[in-house]
């Protein structure tokens, strides 16, 4: 397994396919704004996902369902402006692609035209056949999303690990093959047993990016605010926190309040 980081000018869907073929793992993270996208991009993250998790971590909703297409386009255009190297994938939000395939295509076209993003992502398998045909037929690269699909949370009732039972695992494998046959360039696999995720990754020639799906897949994705420790209430086993920003930012903010109150800020050097 190669751990070397090859230099790529701009990551494309073709680059990702080459990375899979050469066993180079793909690093993917979410971002929702210009400043963070710049940092994520400079760090060498290959794929930036403008996730509908913005509904949770930016807007404070309990689920991903309320975020609108207009709001996704707003976040996506800011991320695109902050990105020089990474491939930008944008979630089609709940309600923008499920009801009919023409609406799905219109939504995908709006994202591409108005934000300048490179690809879209949608949740689900065979049930999206018509929408996938139309969007892919218009030349828009599509990423699939299987396993735990947060837009269907009210159907499942919980955010627990998916596809532990054989029937659900078989359906997931069939859906993954279907997405590949339709022409998707990759799949996100969320919260499924590691052995199943590895089987899926080994059965497909397109990259499989895991979140809570173990190390036998072609890459990993995390929600930026979770891995930086800005969120504290969400602590699934798969989440590695690389920083504890909640504490660090909180400390800095308290210090600022105290400095203003005690007139320790501004100092003589910080005024004109
Ligand atoms: O919206 C999102 O952040 C996602 C990731 C969890 C993969 O879909």
């Amino acid at each position: 397994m190669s751990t070397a980081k090859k230099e790529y000018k701009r990551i494309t869907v073709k680059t990702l396919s080459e990375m899979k073929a050469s066993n180079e793992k793909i690093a993917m993270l979410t971002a929702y704004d210009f400043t963070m996208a710049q940092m994520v991009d400079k760090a060498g993250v290959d794929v930036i996902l403008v996730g509908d998790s913005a509904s949770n971590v930016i807007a404070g909703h309990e689920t991903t369902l309320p975020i609108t297409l207009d709001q996704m386009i707003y976040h996506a255009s800011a991320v695109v402006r902050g990105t020089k190297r990474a491939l930008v994938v944008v979630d089609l939000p709940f309600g923008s692609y499920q009801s009919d395939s023409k609406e799905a295509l219109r939504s995908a076209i709006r994202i591409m035209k108005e934000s300048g993003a490179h690809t879209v992502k949608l949740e689900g398998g065979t049930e999206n056949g018509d929408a996938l045909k139309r969007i892919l037929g218009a030349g828009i690269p599509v990423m699939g999303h299987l396993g735990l699909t947060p837009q269907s949370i009210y159907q499942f009732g919980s955010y627990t690990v998916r596809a532990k039972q054989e029937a659900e695992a078989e359906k997931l494998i069939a859906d993954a093959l279907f997405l590949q046959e339709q022409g998707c360039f990759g799949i996100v696999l969320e919260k499924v047993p590691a052995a199943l995720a590895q089987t899926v990754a080994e059965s497909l020639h397109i990259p499989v990016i895991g979140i809570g799906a173990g190390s036998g897949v072609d890459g990993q994705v995390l929600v930026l605010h979770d891995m930086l420790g800005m969120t504290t209430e969400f602590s699934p086993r798969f989440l590695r926190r690389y920083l504890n920003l909640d504490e660090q930012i909180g400390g800095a903010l308290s210090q600022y309040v105290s400095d203003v109150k005690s007139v320790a800020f501004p100092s003589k050097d910080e005024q004109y």
Side-chain angles (χ1 to χ4, degrees), residues 8 25 27 50 53-54 73 75 82 93 98 131 158 183 186 190 196 243:
Y8 301 102
K25 296 284 186 188
V50 184
S53 49
I73 290 170
H75 288 297
Q98 292 94 339
S158 78
E190 181 164 356
L196 171 64
L243 279 177

Side-chain angles (χ1 to χ4, degrees), residues 28-32 49-57 64 72 91 121 123 143-145 148-151 188-190 209-211 221-224 226 234 238:
M28 175 165 165
L29 277 177
T30 67
Y32 316 97
L49 170 65
V50 184
D52 57 1
S53 49
S55 182
N56 309 111
V57 297
T64 58
M72 289 302 297
D91 267 337
K121 170 163 91 57
E123 296 184 6
M143 182 166 221
H145 184 153
L148 173 60
T149 46
Q151 291 179 12
V188 164
L189 211 46
E190 181 164 356
I209 312 295
I211 171 163
V221 58
L222 286 174
V223 168
L224 187 66
D226 296 336
F234 180 68
F238 69 75

